[in-house]
Amino acid sequence: MLIHTFRGPGRVFGFTTDSAGANLPSRYAPWTAFKSLDMHRDEPHAGVDVNSCLDDIDTYGFHLTDAHERITQTAIPA
């Protein structure tokens, strides 16, 4: 699956299938395009837990990390 990576403030990164990153949470904006990756379940990739990333994208439409720690849940309205 082609995943687009965007850099937010500090060490925040967003991962999404949306090439424009339009579905990434505004609370971590501005988002800057970083790179695109071809991710496949159970295949390792440096700096990201691929299975967790793909699970979040399936569930929420995006995956967020801060210093390589998952923070997706912080962006989901209660």
Side-chain angles (χ1 to χ4, degrees), residues 38-49:
D38 195 24
M39 289 189 184
H40 301 281
R41 196 165 293 285
D42 298 322
E43 289 183 11
H45 196 300
V48 63
D49 178 333

Side-chain angles (χ1 to χ4, degrees), residues 1-67:
M1 176 183 296
L2 184 60
I3 305 298
H4 305 282
T5 307
F6 294 82
R7 185 173 190 140
R11 295 182 66 187
V12 174
F13 284 86
F15 301 81
T16 179
T17 57
D18 184 331
S19 63
N23 66 330
L24 294 173
S26 61
R27 83 183 269 187
Y28 295 106
W31 293 104
T32 303
F34 184 65
K35 63 182 172 179
S36 296
L37 310 165
D38 195 24
M39 289 189 184
H40 301 281
R41 196 165 293 285
D42 298 322
E43 289 183 11
H45 196 300
V48 63
D49 178 333
V50 172
N51 289 344
S52 178
C53 179
L54 295 177
D55 287 345
D56 280 351
I57 290 171
D58 285 345
T59 303
Y60 307 109
F62 59 85
H63 173 73
L64 299 178
T65 64
D66 187 356

